[in-house]
Amino acid sequence: MFKRWLLALVARVGLIVLGLCCCLFLFYLLACKPASHSSQQSLSWSAGATSKEGYMALLQEREESHRHYMNSLSKQIAQLKEALQERTQQLQETLEKAKTRGILPQGLESLHKTPTQTDMKEFFRSQLSQAEVNSGVKLPSEYAVIPFDTFTLRRVYQLETGLTRHPEERPVRKDHRDELISTLETALHVLNGPQQRTDNTRRKRTYSPADFIEGLTRTERDRGTVYELMFKGDGPRDFTQVVFFRPFGPVLKVKSESVNTRSTLINIIVPLSKRPEAFRQFINNFREVCIQKDSRVHLTVVYFGRDQIDQVKAVLDQTTRETRFRSFTLIQLNEEFSRGRGLEVGARAWRRGQNALLFFCDVDIHFTPDFLTSCRLNAEPGKRVYYPVLFSQYNPSIIYSNQSLLPPVQQQLVIKKDTGFWRDFGFGMTCQYRSDFLNIGGFDRSIKGWGLEDVHLYRKYLHSKLMVIRSPSRGLFHLWHEKDCADELPPDKYKMCMQTKAINEASHGQLGELLFKPEIEAHLGKQKNQGT
């Protein structure tokens, strides 16, 4: 009996040992598999991001990004500390001299104390509260407005022109270029940071420089620099806005919020008298941009007189038949043309319950889908009105005088020093909500004909608490056309009209070539005679 039990026990132990040996042999085979098979598995990252190498690469990329951000912060902190120490030393020396001479005023004893971090934060916050960031400030006239610069990933659009500056340029100075790049990197870190939430849920997407649309920036010399950066949102009509303020120190985040423009309808109001060919060109632009690409628009045409109105109606009817777009309103006024009167009537004729965003436009204006986006993003009811600076085209017959045929209009819309200029003296094209327009009192109805009505409205907004966003627009163009200054205009308006006519023809250099053309040709003739 005992022998049978012992034999059974030995057999069981043998089976267990045999099983352990088989397991060890399998582990040995797995551990010693060929290297080529391992390399094939590592290549599977392109098909599915689940391998160890893929995760390590992703972590390394994120770590490198954070390291770059930390280096940038460390550099800014070091510069700030160095400047603070220098200023503190100068202040201490001044106070010591004043104390030695016995001329130290009472109440300045606290200046002997070393500034703390709390004091610096209070100073920065005080600069932020005084700057025009969240709300507008009252300004005496249009000359007191500090315009914004518009920038993208590759270009900066600025009003300051001269020998070294162009209406559109890549930042030449390294400090300016690094400033904008650093601000964009800071915005991306804010949007991708763990603290950024929307509707109490963590964002599922990761923002990159490709999501950046455009930004606005300007510097108040006694306050600091403000940056407004706009990024693509979760949908085609959703956007994310990030606002920074740099009070001559580290950048402070003002706000970061999502902006939904899905339901924002733009009512484009165009006052018109005759000029059917220009209106036909305007409708072609309207069909391409508004009907085919946007569709959240309404067109209001206020026509003065009866002459040639049938041609305008025919253009609108043809557009309706071919595109099935019916969001038009045609208002006829049997009055003398007045731009302010036409815009006023068009704005007040809106009968829908929605507070429409008004775009006051002229018939010789060409705009792009990017401008409609800027119009929606830069105007806010009760807070902001948008006064873009458009790019005015020079006379194409002068610009392209060396070509036998003029290029198409689309090819002429190039922002360069020799093709046009920023029309910074014009305030006619503007985006503002109907409620703000009515609350401010609208246009001055006593002004007739051409000019000044837009300046008066602009000054009203400057005297209000609304913020005026004044910046060059890369998607808004004034097409060149022959300008006639009527003899019945009063002297001040006639002079303004003639000045505008001269400015619109060509650049300073091009006008100089036309003026001195006989001398240039005579010089070339002498050179040829000497050569022969």
Side-chain angles (χ1 to χ4, degrees):
M1 187 70 180
F2 179 77
K3 290 182 179 180
R4 289 181 181 177
W5 178 82
L6 184 61
L7 291 174
L9 180 62
V10 171
R12 292 177 180 177
V13 172
L15 291 174
I16 293 173
V17 172
L18 181 61
L20 291 175
C21 291
C22 293
C23 292
L24 291 174
F25 183 73
L26 290 175
F27 281 124
Y28 176 79
L29 289 178
L30 292 174
C32 299
K33 61 183 177 180
S36 61
H37 182 66
S38 175
S39 62
Q40 291 178 359
Q41 283 191 347
S42 65
L43 295 176
S44 64
W45 169 251
S46 60
T50 58
S51 66
K52 180 179 178 181
E53 290 80 4
Y55 286 123
M56 291 300 295
L58 190 62
L59 290 174
Q60 184 177 1
E61 181 181 355
R62 184 57 59 88
E63 183 181 356
E64 183 178 354
S65 176
H66 282 285
R67 187 183 300 112
H68 181 70
Y69 180 53
M70 294 299 294
N71 292 336
S72 177
L73 288 179
S74 300
K75 182 179 179 181
Q76 293 182 27
I77 293 174
Q79 293 175 350
L80 183 61
K81 285 183 177 179
E82 183 179 355
L84 185 61
Q85 290 176 358
E86 183 179 354
R87 291 294 182 91
T88 303
Q89 184 177 359
Q90 295 176 357
L91 181 60
Q92 292 289 347
E93 293 176 356
T94 304
L95 292 175
E96 289 295 337
K97 292 180 181 179
K99 188 176 181 181
T100 303
R101 298 176 182 178
I103 59 174
L104 182 64
Q106 296 182 355
L108 295 183
E109 293 81 2
S110 59
L111 293 178
H112 288 282
K113 299 179 181 179
T114 303
T116 62
Q117 188 175 5
T118 304
D119 297 332
M120 293 176 59
K121 288 183 178 180
E122 291 180 357
F123 170 73
F124 292 151
R125 292 296 176 185
S126 66
Q127 292 290 92
L128 174 60
S129 63
Q130 298 176 41
E132 189 180 14
V133 179
N134 287 319
S135 61
V137 296
K138 295 183 178 181
L139 299 174
S141 69
E142 62 271 21
Y143 303 105
V145 175
I146 302 175
F148 286 86
D149 287 345
T150 305
F151 65 94
T152 62
L153 287 176
R154 298 181 179 273
R155 292 287 189 271
V156 175
Y157 303 87
Q158 56 197 3
L159 298 183
E160 296 183 10
T161 57
L163 294 177
T164 60
R165 291 185 177 271
H166 297 268
E168 177 214 38
E169 69 172 13
R170 294 182 180 181
V172 177
R173 289 182 46 172
K174 185 177 183 301
D175 56 347
H176 193 195
R177 183 170 63 251
D178 293 345
E179 171 199 358
L180 298 179
I181 293 176
S182 175
T183 305
L184 177 60
E185 291 177 350
T186 305
L188 292 175
H189 281 287
V190 168
L191 294 176
N192 296 325
Q195 302 298 326
Q196 183 69 14
R197 298 172 181 272
T198 301
D199 297 332
N200 297 325
T201 59
R202 191 178 301 275
R203 288 188 182 275
K204 297 181 180 180
R205 62 173 297 177
T206 300
Y207 287 87
S208 68
D211 297 317
F212 176 63
I213 300 176
E214 71 175 10
L216 299 177
T217 180
R218 71 174 178 182
T219 300
E220 299 179 45
R221 295 184 178 180
D222 58 341
R223 300 287 184 267
T225 305
V226 62
Y227 307 90
E228 295 187 11
L229 295 90
M230 198 63 61
F231 294 83
K232 299 177 183 177
D234 297 329
R237 297 175 180 177
D238 296 328
F239 304 91
T240 299
Q241 182 188 45
V242 181
V243 180
F244 291 126
F245 180 70
R246 187 194 298 273
F248 301 118
V251 175
L252 302 178
K253 186 182 80 171
V254 178
K255 65 178 179 179
S256 176
E257 61 183 9
S258 298
V259 181
N260 186 351
T261 64
R262 298 176 185 176
S263 59
T264 305
L265 185 141
I266 300 179
N267 183 13
I268 303 177
I269 305 177
V270 180
L272 184 63
S273 177
K274 301 179 181 179
R275 303 189 64 188
E277 291 300 325
F279 183 70
R280 187 172 288 106
Q281 186 179 37
F282 174 84
I283 286 296
N284 291 335
N285 177 224
F286 182 87
R287 291 175 61 168
E288 179 183 357
V289 175
C290 299
I291 300 179
Q292 299 177 8
K293 299 181 180 179
D294 194 288
S295 75
R296 295 167 294 157
V297 295
H298 182 89
L299 177 61
T300 300
V301 180
V302 182
Y303 196 87
F304 289 82
R306 298 179 180 179
D307 190 16
Q308 299 181 345
I309 190 174
D310 293 337
Q311 299 183 38
V312 174
K313 290 181 179 179
V315 172
L316 294 178
D317 292 340
Q318 181 183 3
T319 302
T320 301
R321 290 194 307 269
E322 296 177 355
T323 65
R324 297 182 181 180
F325 184 84
R326 301 181 181 278
S327 191
F328 295 115
T329 299
L330 177 60
I331 303 174
Q332 182 182 2
L333 299 178
N334 294 322
E335 305 174 9
E336 180 185 355
F337 177 80
S338 171
R339 185 177 185 274
R341 166 71 172 159
L343 296 174
E344 183 92 20
V345 170
R348 295 183 181 274
W350 184 257
R351 291 293 180 262
R352 302 183 187 180
Q354 183 182 8
N355 184 20
L357 175 58
L358 308 179
F359 170 37
F360 295 154
C361 186
D362 289 341
V363 71
D364 49 15
I365 296 298
H366 184 99
F367 54 87
T368 66
D370 289 336
F371 169 75
L372 296 181
T373 299
S374 299
C375 183
R376 292 185 174 98
L377 295 177
N378 291 320
E380 187 175 357
K383 293 185 178 181
R384 294 155 53 119
V385 293
Y386 181 41
Y387 271 85
V389 180
L390 54 82
F391 192 77
S392 191
Q393 182 188 35
Y394 286 139
N395 189 343
S397 61
I398 297 178
I399 300 174
Y400 307 101
S401 58
N402 58 343
Q403 301 182 19
S404 57
L405 295 176
L406 294 180
V409 174
Q410 291 290 347
Q411 298 181 13
Q412 297 180 24
L413 303 179
V414 180
I415 301 178
K416 290 184 178 181
K417 200 171 186 178
D418 294 332
T419 60
F421 64 98
W422 291 117
R423 205 180 185 93
D424 58 343
F425 54 85
F427 307 97
M429 270 36 74
T430 171
C431 295
Q432 53 194 266
Y433 277 86
R434 183 173 182 267
S435 57
D436 295 329
F437 176 76
L438 297 178
N439 291 335
I440 207 72
F443 286 101
D444 187 349
R445 303 180 186 180
S446 63
I447 299 178
K448 304 295 182 182
W450 177 88
L452 293 182
E453 80 287 336
D454 51 356
V455 179
H456 284 214
L457 179 65
Y458 184 65
R459 289 171 180 170
K460 285 184 179 181
Y461 282 116
L462 296 181
H463 298 162
S464 71
K465 292 185 178 180
L466 276 70
M467 182 185 298
V468 177
I469 303 298
R470 178 76 167 159
S471 67
S473 173
R474 56 192 173 96
L476 191 62
F477 298 86
H478 177 268
L479 302 179
W480 184 88
H481 60 88
E482 187 70 34
K483 193 170 188 63
D484 296 325
C485 298
D487 293 336
E488 59 268 17
L489 288 174
D492 57 341
K493 289 188 178 182
Y494 187 83
K495 184 177 180 180
M496 290 175 57
C497 183
M498 293 300 295
Q499 289 175 348
T500 304
K501 182 176 181 179
I503 293 174
N504 288 342
E505 284 298 312
S507 65
H508 194 166
Q510 292 165 336
L511 290 177
E513 290 183 7
L514 293 176
L515 178 63
F516 299 110
K517 185 176 181 179
E519 298 181 23
I520 296 174
E521 292 179 349
H523 176 74
L524 292 176
K526 291 180 181 179
Q527 293 291 331
K528 289 182 180 180
N529 294 332
Q530 292 178 0
T532 57

